[in-house]
Amino acid sequence: MARGAGGSDGGTGSFLIGLIMMIGGGYLLLNSIVVRPNFGFGPVAFRFGGFPITSGLILIPFMFGVGMIFYNSKNWIGWLLAGGSMIGLIFGVIANMELQLARMSAFDLIVILVLLVGGIGLFLRSLRAG
């Protein structure tokens, strides 16, 4: 006997429709989120032992590390300074992101949520044995 989606009798049609709805709703939801960075040379990126670390302050050891690497590429302290500064810069940027939902009508939001949650429901129902 032929089995449906996920090896169950749930149905391939429900599986595909649910998957398409889920992907469409997820795309529309993620597409409507506005990301605003608050990272610059003045604001505090994070604190280390109560000492505020700004994004500009992170670049100072990075410059020294790059200079040491160009002087002697086998200098592990230069690599440590440059690598650590880049990791700190990346974490600082991610930590200072501001996420907001874009301006949309209630109808748009309801359509997005019905697509996303309804798609998840159909998808999961298709995996269940009939």
Side-chain angles (χ1 to χ4, degrees):
M1 181 173 158
R3 305 291 265 170
S8 69
D9 297 326
T12 308
S14 295
F15 176 81
L16 291 175
I17 291 172
L19 186 65
I20 291 169
M21 286 175 64
M22 206 171 39
I23 290 171
Y27 170 76
L28 289 173
L29 180 66
L30 292 176
N31 197 37
S32 64
I33 294 175
V34 178
V35 179
R36 300 179 198 277
N38 290 332
F39 201 71
F41 285 105
V44 174
F46 48 86
R47 296 188 182 276
F48 184 72
F51 182 69
I53 306 290
T54 64
S55 56
L57 194 59
I58 293 173
L59 293 177
I60 293 172
F62 176 74
M63 290 186 306
F64 280 110
V66 168
M68 293 168 87
I69 290 170
F70 271 85
Y71 182 75
N72 180 8
S73 64
K74 295 180 182 187
N75 187 347
W76 64 272
I77 296 174
W79 284 103
L80 184 69
L81 283 173
S85 298
M86 287 307 297
I87 290 171
L89 191 63
I90 290 168
F91 279 124
V93 168
I94 292 171
N96 285 299
M97 286 290 176
E98 180 181 323
L99 303 176
Q100 290 181 332
L101 197 58
R103 187 178 177 104
M104 65 176 74
S105 68
F107 178 76
D108 294 338
L109 183 60
I110 288 171
V111 168
I112 289 171
L113 293 176
V114 165
L115 281 173
L116 182 63
V117 178
I120 291 170
L122 274 176
F123 181 80
L124 292 176
R125 184 177 76 178
S126 72
L127 298 178
R128 183 179 58 151

